[in-house]
Every structure is written in structure tokens, then in C-alpha cells.
Amino acid sequence: MKIGICSDHAGYEYKNRLAEVLRQDGYDIKDFGTDSPESMDYPDVAHPLAKAVEEGEVECGIAMCGTGEGMAMTLNKHQGIRAGLAWNKETGELIRRHNNANVLALPARLIAFEEALAITKVWLDTPFEGGRHLRRIEKIPLK
Ligand code: RB5
């Protein structure tokens, strides 16, 4: 599976660590930056990641900033993106099972790396339930 990953400076360390673990697990990871711990603006990496998911260049994405909120807000401006912010394993599971989130947003400054990794693994391993949830997510895009 090909996964896009991005972060701002606040998520830089977690992004690199997460990408390394996922590569070891056999995932094909495309890194959209940022490429240093220098302060930068999260939309500059969130928009390219969103575009890659929308166009099918990557199957899904993972985005990190301090709270995860700026990433989620930016990503969800894209009609084809359902970015879910998860801060524990239960939210990681439900944003996939019920919302079929195609991007996972993580709050790098608010959770331990081990928690971010556990959330990511649950999110990747959980199937979308479909049914009534499909009807609901189909109503999300603006007409
Ligand atoms: C950066 O200081 C911080 O504002 C950013 O990482 C993020 O939390 C914004 O949503």
C-alpha cells in the first residue's frame, strides 16, 4: 500500500519516525515534507498530500502538526478528502470504520510517539463498515 505522509515542524520528528516504522512494515511511503525542524506553514505540505490522495497517487495519507487541527482543517477543504483527527486508538478505529477517513491527522505535541504509532496501526488495519455509514459519507461533499 502506498501512503503519503506530511508534517510541519511540530510533527517533523514523529513523521520521520513513523515513516521509518511503516517502511519496515512493508508500506511504500511518499514523504511530502517538511524536510527540516525549521518553522514552516502546515498548508504548504497538507495541500500537496491532499491532492495526491484525491488523484490516487497514494491510497491514503497521514498528517501531523502540533495539534493535528491545522492539518485536518486544511485537508478537509479538498472535496475528495475525509481527514480525521485521532488522539487515541478508539478514535483511530472509528474514523476508519464509520467515516472511512482517507487521511489520518495526528496531534504530535499532545500524544506520545508510541500512541501515535498505535493509532496509525489501528487506523490502517480497520475496515470501513459501509452500509448506513456509506450513505452518510456520500453526503459530505458539497454539491
Ligand atoms: C505550530 O506551532 C502549530 O501551530 C502547528 O503545528 C499546529 O498545531 C497548528 O494547527
Side-chain angles (χ1 to χ4, degrees), residues 65-80:
C65 61
T67 59
E69 296 283 7
M71 285 292 185
M73 289 176 192
T74 308
L75 292 158
N76 281 320
K77 291 292 177 191
H78 292 253
Q79 289 284 68

Side-chain angles (χ1 to χ4, degrees), residues 5-12 15 31-49 64-66 70-71 74 109:
I5 197 165
C6 75
S7 77
D8 71 354
H9 52 287
Y12 176 67
K15 170 179 70 69
D31 190 339
F32 288 82
T34 188
D35 300 323
S36 90
E38 293 303 308
S39 181
M40 59 83 68
D41 304 332
Y42 52 82
D44 293 343
V45 291
H47 285 304
L49 172 67
M64 281 149 277
C65 61
M71 285 292 185
T74 308
R109 281 183 174 157

Side-chain angles (χ1 to χ4, degrees), residues 56-121:
E57 182 193 344
V58 294
E59 278 178 56
C60 60
I62 302 169
M64 281 149 277
C65 61
T67 59
E69 296 283 7
M71 285 292 185
M73 289 176 192
T74 308
L75 292 158
N76 281 320
K77 291 292 177 191
H78 292 253
Q79 289 284 68
I81 298 298
R82 290 178 305 281
L85 173 61
W87 63 93
N88 61 18
K89 287 200 285 180
E90 189 177 18
T91 48
E93 179 188 336
L94 287 172
I95 61 169
R96 178 70 96 180
R97 195 177 291 290
H98 287 184
N99 313 110
N100 203 16
N102 53 10
V103 184
L104 169 66
L106 291 167
R109 281 183 174 157
L110 304 179
I111 58 174
F113 177 74
E114 291 67 29
E115 185 75 5
L117 179 58
I119 293 167
T120 301
K121 289 193 169 178

